[in-house]
Amino acid sequence: MDQFIEWSTALNTDITIIDEEHKFLVDNINILHKLMHQKGVPQEATDSAMKDILNNLAHYTHTHFVVEEEFMRVYGYPEREAHKVEHDGFIEKVSGLNADFQENSLNLSNSLVIFLKDWLTNHILKTDHKMAAFLKDKGQN
């Protein structure tokens, strides 16, 4: 099966730590997608693995956003608050989905991984690239 999200140079911000963290998020969404579509594995094992991945995504997303927000604070990024609002909305959504799934009250669907893929790639390509250009102008790499 091909990767659900193909990492490409278009997704690079050219800020090493941010790109590495984005790649980790992409890898975890790809693993989640693969788990949802694998055949011949007991559902209990799949659910357990998906719970682990969702926990990773929920916790790591928060950690990653803290890194970006600290860069924005240190360098005085003028759109920091709007950027943070996007982060907060995503964290709230992913945390809620994770909590529902952990309590077995949510079945993961294709629409969830499509949401994760679309949100992450759009956020990187638009919001993060704009932030990265500002940070690079200030000397960050």
Side-chain angles (χ1 to χ4, degrees), residues 24-96:
F24 180 85
L25 293 170
V26 165
D27 288 345
N28 276 270
I29 293 170
N30 283 333
I31 292 167
L32 185 62
H33 183 262
K34 183 178 180 181
L35 287 169
M36 290 175 62
H37 292 90
Q38 68 184 357
K39 306 266 188 261
V41 177
Q43 190 62 43
E44 188 175 290
T46 300
D47 285 350
S48 176
M50 287 193 296
K51 284 181 180 183
D52 290 343
I53 293 297
L54 278 174
N55 268 332
N56 284 345
L57 279 170
H59 295 292
Y60 196 80
T61 298
H62 177 72
T63 301
H64 166 66
F65 289 163
V66 167
V67 169
E68 284 189 5
E69 290 165 13
E70 182 63 10
F71 276 134
M72 291 186 283
R73 186 193 66 74
V74 167
Y75 288 95
Y77 184 54
E79 296 181 36
R80 184 176 109 200
E81 287 305 313
H83 198 130
K84 187 175 179 341
V85 166
E86 285 187 34
H87 287 173
D88 291 346
F90 186 74
I91 287 171
E92 184 178 325
K93 176 85 170 171
V94 171
S95 294

Side-chain angles (χ1 to χ4, degrees), residues 47-48 51 98-107:
D47 285 350
S48 176
K51 284 181 180 183
N98 185 36
D100 288 346
F101 189 73
Q102 300 300 331
E103 295 168 8
N104 294 317
S105 60
L106 172 72
N107 287 321

